[in-house]
Amino acid sequence: MRVWLITIGEPVPTDGHDERLLRTGILARLLSQNGHEVVWWCSSFDHTRKKQRTVHEVSTTVSDGYRLMVLRSRGYQRNISLARLLDHREHATRFAELAPREPIPDVILCSMPTIDLSRAAVKYAVSRKIPVVLDIRDLWPEIFVDLAPRWARGLARLILTPLFRDLRWACSHATALTSMTPQILQWGLGYANRSRSELDREFPFGYEERRPTDVELREANEFWKEHGIAVDSKQFFVVFFGTIGRQFDLDTVIDAARRLDGGSRAFHFILCGAGDRLDYYKKAAAGLSNVSFPGWVGSSEIWALMRIAHLGLAPYHNTKDFCASIPNKPIEYLSAGLPVLSPLTGVLHDLLLRNGCGVFYSEGGVKSLVDALELSYDDPAHLKIMANNAINLFQERFTAEIVYSNMKKYLEEVSNSVT
């Protein structure tokens, strides 16, 4: 089976040996290892680090039967910007130009967003009677309307009319839709204007737990030691990994850290990552002894830190898309037995509450966060129970082996469903 995977926002295998591959990267490798031919259409622009991977549009061989088709685009520095929309349009244009030159696939899995690439992929597939699945990950473009001031939302929706139109067309003409949760899948089916079929499925994010080598682990522990974070420390570590942008409410976290700084309980907040809000938050936390910003860290450093941490921080805003989703960050924490600390309501809250591995506070509530942290600090026995629950939940539902083996079988089913 020849499979095309179309995703531009994830790390790719050529980013480095210590790069954490996500949904598409893990699935691509698994498909290839099982004898399928894989072409991953990706971007020259690294969305996370906001830099170009290459100045050329290239086809790169990862392994036998597995290639990256790197689409060149201009890039952007702000996630919400005209430059990003233009970048996405360039991807779709180049895909439409290059795809007909490639051997025809048996099945296509395209991530949505982006809307432009989704429409281009579905248009290509429909014209050649190829089964195509849209994997809906975010509620674009609705989330952009919600970000606008209430008085401007009507205008925002009007400006985004072309994107809404393209989304409806792509969803309604795709062979099937997939997503992480029933709620997001139903959202996509609403735009498709149809009821659920046998091929519409849910697949959560799966996390691949790769233990570092002994050498990598020693280097990672040394890295943290240089940042004043030791394996045998008596501090209570609250950790965060991710893009430091507007989707997270770190203001509340820093305000809580300020209240706790110098107190009898030795909290330490370790906020790892880069992003357009990093400098802002560094200034906000200036002078605090219990907040660290180590910058962007690799998978070995993440693995090591999660094993000495006490809580994994997921400070998402309670927007419609996050409330309907189970983001990949909490799943990463669960893999290490970290209870998840979050203000998020909706699907994630219910999952963590039901499985006894979540610590909750109200969004924007500094006192609520301080109280939750102090209760966790003062009850290590309960924290240990939650840690065990976190591991069990991860192993039952979110291991990469389970999730992506199911997705592989699903794509084989879809490929065979259209004759």
Side-chain angles (χ1 to χ4, degrees):
M1 180 175 72
R2 182 179 295 122
V3 184
W4 281 8
L5 305 175
I6 306 174
T7 303
I8 63 170
E10 290 187 13
V12 298
T14 54
D15 285 345
H17 79 281
D18 204 30
E19 189 65 66
R20 291 172 299 148
L21 296 180
L22 302 177
R23 191 175 181 89
T24 302
I26 301 171
L27 178 61
R29 187 179 62 221
L30 180 64
L31 287 164
S32 175
Q33 290 172 344
N34 280 267
H36 297 302
E37 183 180 337
V38 178
V39 177
W40 178 0
W41 296 81
C42 59
S43 176
S44 67
F45 183 68
D46 185 333
H47 164 76
T48 301
R49 294 178 175 86
K50 298 293 187 290
K51 67 178 184 179
Q52 293 288 352
R53 294 183 169 105
T54 175
V55 296
H56 303 292
E57 201 158 52
V58 296
S59 172
T60 302
T61 298
V62 177
S63 61
D64 289 344
Y66 175 12
R67 287 186 297 130
L68 300 179
M69 284 294 296
V70 182
L71 299 169
R72 174 70 183 176
S73 71
R74 69 181 63 196
Y76 49 88
Q77 293 306 309
R78 297 181 60 191
N79 286 345
I80 302 175
S81 62
L82 176 60
R84 188 178 188 185
L85 294 177
L86 294 174
D87 175 270
H88 291 174
R89 180 58 56 88
E90 288 177 2
H91 283 125
T93 300
R94 291 303 293 150
F95 172 83
E97 293 170 353
L98 295 173
R101 305 177 193 176
E102 289 286 314
I104 294 177
D106 297 301
V107 63
I108 298 173
L109 178 68
C110 179
S111 299
M112 202 306 291
T114 71
I115 295 173
D116 298 278
L117 261 177
S118 295
R119 179 181 172 85
V122 173
K123 183 178 180 180
Y124 169 90
V126 168
S127 66
R128 293 161 177 80
K129 295 183 171 56
I130 301 166
V132 55
V133 178
L134 292 186
D135 187 34
I136 301 177
R137 303 190 182 187
D138 286 307
L139 308 188
W140 282 30
E142 284 190 12
I143 59 173
F144 299 119
V145 175
D146 293 340
L147 286 172
R150 189 173 297 276
W151 60 267
R153 288 178 183 173
L155 177 60
R157 184 171 289 274
L158 179 63
I159 293 172
L160 295 171
T161 295
L163 289 180
F164 279 103
R165 181 187 62 235
D166 288 349
L167 175 65
R168 291 189 183 93
W169 190 93
C171 288
S172 62
H173 287 80
T175 308
L177 304 180
T178 59
S179 191
M180 298 88 68
T181 66
Q183 291 83 350
I184 294 181
L185 180 59
Q186 192 58 48
W187 178 89
L189 290 171
Y191 279 95
N193 194 28
R194 64 174 177 81
S195 58
R196 181 169 178 166
S197 76
E198 292 184 356
L199 290 179
D200 299 316
R201 307 278 175 86
E202 298 115 32
F203 299 98
F205 284 120
Y207 184 75
E208 187 173 48
E209 186 188 10
R210 183 187 74 84
R211 188 188 190 282
T213 65
D214 290 343
V215 172
E216 290 171 336
L217 189 54
R218 282 196 300 271
E219 292 175 348
N221 287 332
E222 185 61 30
F223 172 87
W224 291 119
K225 186 177 179 180
E226 291 173 358
H227 282 79
I229 300 160
V231 174
D232 56 354
S233 173
K234 301 301 182 183
Q235 292 178 304
F236 188 103
F237 294 123
V238 180
V239 299
F240 167 85
F241 308 101
T243 301
I244 299 180
R246 297 181 184 275
Q247 70 269 42
F248 298 112
D249 173 23
L250 290 176
D251 289 290
T252 301
V253 175
I254 291 171
D255 287 343
R258 182 170 289 107
R259 291 195 187 184
L260 294 165
D261 195 20
S264 59
R265 300 173 179 88
F267 287 101
H268 193 149
F269 299 82
I270 308 169
L271 311 178
C272 305
D276 55 14
R277 298 279 282 176
L278 178 59
D279 289 341
Y280 166 83
Y281 286 121
K282 279 186 173 181
K283 291 178 182 177
L288 295 179
S289 63
N290 61 350
V291 179
S292 296
F293 291 93
W296 191 262
V297 294
S299 60
S300 298
E301 287 78 23
I302 291 172
W303 193 98
L305 183 59
M306 287 199 300
R307 267 68 189 178
I308 64 172
H310 298 83
L311 292 173
L313 180 62
Y316 296 94
H317 289 289
N318 276 287
T319 55
K320 181 179 179 180
D321 54 330
F322 286 132
C323 289
S325 179
I326 303 174
N328 60 0
K329 193 58 52 187
I331 296 170
E332 185 173 24
Y333 297 147
L334 296 176
S335 74
L338 277 182
V340 178
L341 174 65
S342 181
L344 197 58
T345 59
V347 178
L348 177 66
H349 176 276
D350 294 346
L351 175 75
L352 298 175
L353 182 64
R354 188 166 58 248
N355 289 275
C357 51
V359 177
F360 309 108
Y361 64 98
S362 58
E363 181 179 352
V366 178
K367 184 180 185 301
S368 172
L369 177 53
V370 169
D371 289 345
L373 287 165
E374 290 181 339
L375 284 172
S376 298
Y377 186 101
D378 293 339
D379 195 351
H382 182 59
L383 198 64
K384 186 174 182 179
I385 292 172
M386 287 197 294
N388 290 332
N389 291 342
I391 283 285
N392 291 336
L393 175 59
F394 173 76
Q395 292 176 344
E396 288 171 6
R397 291 192 53 181
F398 299 113
T399 66
E401 292 80 6
I402 292 174
V403 173
Y404 300 117
S405 291
N406 288 338
M407 286 192 78
K408 176 189 74 69
K409 294 174 185 176
Y410 168 73
L411 289 176
E412 292 168 344
E413 180 184 346
V414 173
S415 176
N416 294 328
S417 69
V418 178
T419 58

